[in-house]
Amino acid sequence: FPFAQLVIFSMIFTNFRDRKSPYRIYLWSLLIAGIVLLVTFTSSLLVVGVDSISNMYYPTYTAISRVEVMKIGRLEILSATIFSLGGFVKISSHIFAICIGLTKIFKCSDYRFIVVPVTLLLINQAYFTWDSAMSFYEFDGEMMLYFAFPFRTIFPIILLIAGRLKKNSRLVGME
């Protein structure tokens, strides 16, 4: 579920000056991301077709390669560049959130010293876990739903409830 990235962003963006700003930012970003995903999926579906889209790993790339705009051609190079940059930003934000979480768990003052070891561990883990991109997609299609469900839904709900209880206990203690 692509909207589960809110969990990552809630770890990264923890300090806001105005308390109402996180809700507004999260709602707007959720709305914009939903619209972008809807437009991208719908356009890919209309260009490639229902039968073909279910058998492809990158249907948007295939759809862009079939579109010709004013004899420019080769739009898939731009698409591949955008996919690569998007993947880099996503991986970097995940690594950043992991480093922030580890420094909070181990009560360290700075996260920067742990970035290189965490990155090297993740590279090794990815290398030893999957033989190829296709084996990752098989895992993603078959097992990721069961693996990621607790981390994307149950744990955030538990953390939300715990945060509300902690906030209410502070308010009761102040009275």
Side-chain angles (χ1 to χ4, degrees):
F1 194 70
F3 297 122
Q5 303 305 322
L6 286 175
V7 176
I8 300 295
F9 289 127
S10 65
M11 285 198 62
I12 294 173
F13 302 117
T14 56
N15 297 325
F16 288 102
R17 281 180 260 143
D18 183 16
R19 282 290 174 207
K20 291 185 178 181
S21 65
Y23 299 111
R24 188 176 71 228
I25 290 170
Y26 285 147
L27 288 176
W28 275 108
S29 62
L30 190 68
L31 180 68
I32 291 169
I35 291 171
V36 167
L37 285 173
L38 180 68
V39 168
T40 304
F41 178 74
T42 305
S43 61
S44 297
L45 184 66
L46 292 174
V47 170
V48 177
V50 178
D51 296 331
S52 299
I53 202 168
S54 61
N55 296 328
M56 295 180 186
Y57 288 109
Y58 301 106
T60 306
Y61 181 79
T62 305
I64 288 175
S65 66
R66 291 183 183 178
V67 173
E68 186 174 330
V69 178
M70 299 183 342
K71 299 189 180 193
I72 295 173
R74 306 307 296 177
L75 285 179
E76 60 261 27
I77 295 171
L78 179 66
S79 173
T81 304
I82 291 171
F83 281 155
S84 298
L85 287 174
F88 176 76
V89 168
K90 183 176 180 178
I91 290 169
S92 299
S93 63
H94 280 74
I95 290 173
F96 184 55
I98 289 169
C99 292
I100 288 175
L102 287 175
T103 54
K104 286 184 180 182
I105 288 172
F106 295 119
K107 296 180 178 149
C108 300
S109 60
D110 193 19
Y111 72 90
R112 284 180 259 176
F113 75 95
I114 203 167
V115 172
V116 173
V118 166
T119 305
L120 292 175
L121 282 171
L122 288 175
I123 289 170
N124 283 330
Q125 187 264 337
Y127 179 74
F128 289 119
T129 303
W130 296 290
D131 297 330
S132 65
M134 299 308 132
S135 64
F136 167 73
Y137 282 114
E138 287 177 15
F139 172 79
D140 191 40
E142 296 171 5
M143 297 298 296
M144 191 60 160
L145 176 66
Y146 306 113
F147 177 73
F149 181 74
F151 296 106
R152 293 180 178 173
T153 55
I154 295 172
F155 292 155
I157 290 171
I158 290 171
L159 290 174
L160 177 68
I161 293 170
R164 299 284 177 164
L165 291 175
K166 187 176 180 181
K167 182 178 177 181
N168 289 341
S169 68
R170 278 192 208 155
L171 292 176
V172 170
M174 294 174 95
E175 292 176 358

